[in-house]
Amino acid sequence: MSLVDHALSYVRAINPYQPGKPISELARETGIAEDAILKLASNENPLGMSPRAVAAVRGEIDELARYPDGNGFALKDRLARRLAVEPRQFVLGNGSNDVLELIARVFLAPGRAAVFAQHAFAVYPLATMATGARGIEVPARDFGHDLLAMLAAITPDTRVVFIANPNNPTGTFAAAEDVRQFIAGVPDEVVVVLDEAYNEYLPPEQRVDSVRWIDRYPNLVVTRTFSKIYGLAGLRVGYAVASPAVADLLNRIRQPFNVNSLALAAACAAVDDDEFVSASYQINRRGMAQLVDGLQSLALRLIPSSGNFVTFEVPAERGGAAAANQRLLAQGVIVRPIAGYGLPDWLRVTIGQPEENARFLATLGSALDG
Ligand SMILES: *Cc1c(COP(=O)(O)O)cnc(C)c1O
C-alpha cells in the first residue's frame, strides 16, 4: 500500500474546488497581455476596493512584523454596532469559506450528514466530505433551493443544513418568509447555515435582517463576506453571526490568527463605507440590466439572478458552453464554466463595468454558432 492509500478515504474521494481562471494564467497560456484580459469569473467587485480600505491597508504596512489581533476586537466591535448583536456572537474567518469549514468541523464527522441543494455553492459538499460526513444533495427546483424538499431530506443523523441566499452559481433567491419558515421547521439539534455572501446586492425590499432571527432560532448561523460587494476578495475576510454558545464552539477550533492584519484593517475601514457599497450596488443594478438585455438579444436563456452575476445557457445548437468558453478565452475574456455544479450547458458571468459588459457581450456574440 502506498502512502496515498493510507490517507483518509473520504479525503481521497474529494474533487478539488475549481476557481475562476487567474488573469496571469490565461496570459501565460495565450500570450495576451494581462491588462488586455477581462476577468468576469469570480464575482469580484468591478470597482475594486473601497478607497478607505486601500488607505487602511497602506497604514498597516509598517506593523506587519507583529501578529494580528487574534480576537479581531476592532472589527467585531464595528460589526456588532452595525448589526446590533453582541461582539461575542461573531466568528471571523479567512474568507467566509473558513467559517463554513469551521462549522463543518464542529458539527460533522463520519456517521453524520449535511443537507444542501443541487447547484448550490461547491464549498458545502467539499467541507462536508472533508469531515467524512455524508452529503445529502436535494434536487433543485427551477435552479433554486427546494426548501420543503430540503426539510423532508433531513435525517436523524443530519447535523447541518446549508442554504445559500442568494445562491451561487444560479443567482436564485428564496423569499425571507419562506426561509424563516424553513428554519422554524428544522429540528433544534440541526445547525442551519444561512450563507448571505450576496446579501448586499439585494434590493432593499428583498433584504431581511436575518441576524435578528438568531435569538429565536439559536441553531441559526448567518455567514457574510467582505469578498463580494466590499471588494476585498484577495485579502480573505468573512464572518459568521451565531448564538454566543455556537460562536464559542467555532472560535475554539479556528487558528488563533486566521484573519491577517491587512484584512482586519481593510474590513474595519470598509464596513461603514456606505458610499462605496451604494456605488457598487448601483453599478451592479445597471450592469445586470445591460447583461440581461444583451443575453436576451442573443436569444440565450438565463436564470434571473439576485447576485452580481448571471448564469446563461449555451445549448448544443449554439455550439455549447464548453466551446463558447474556449472562444471567449481565446479573445481574453474569462467567465466561469459550471459543469462541476451539474450545469454543463451553462456559463456564469460576473457583472462588470459598463464597457466590460459590452466587451463581454460582443465577444460572446461572435463566439456563438447560429
Ligand atoms: C463567494 C462566496 C462565498 C465566500 O467567499 P469568501 O471569499 O471565502 O468569503 C461564500 N458563499 C458563497 C455562496 C459565495 O459565492
Side-chain angles (χ1 to χ4, degrees), residues 208-219:
V208 62
D209 194 356
S210 51
V211 165
R212 294 273 74 73
W213 297 339
I214 294 170
D215 288 340
R216 221 178 330 161
Y217 310 112
N219 57 331

Side-chain angles (χ1 to χ4, degrees), residues 17 42-43 93-100 120-124 163-169 195-198 223-228 232-234 236-239 308-309 341 348:
Y17 181 81
S42 301
N43 300 344
N94 190 255
S96 56
N97 198 328
D98 189 20
V99 171
L100 296 172
F121 189 42
V123 167
Y124 311 151
I163 305 274
N165 206 34
N167 184 43
N168 170 22
D195 177 348
E196 298 190 328
Y198 302 96
T223 65
R224 302 216 178 126
T225 182
F226 286 95
S227 299
K228 304 289 158 58
L232 304 182
R236 314 302 305 127
V237 50
Y239 61 94
N308 64 342
F309 55 88
Y341 286 85
R348 189 193 72 192

Side-chain angles (χ1 to χ4, degrees), residues 93-114:
N94 190 255
S96 56
N97 198 328
D98 189 20
V99 171
L100 296 172
E101 286 183 21
L102 294 176
I103 296 165
R105 282 172 52 209
V106 168
F107 292 100
L108 298 175
R112 299 179 176 208

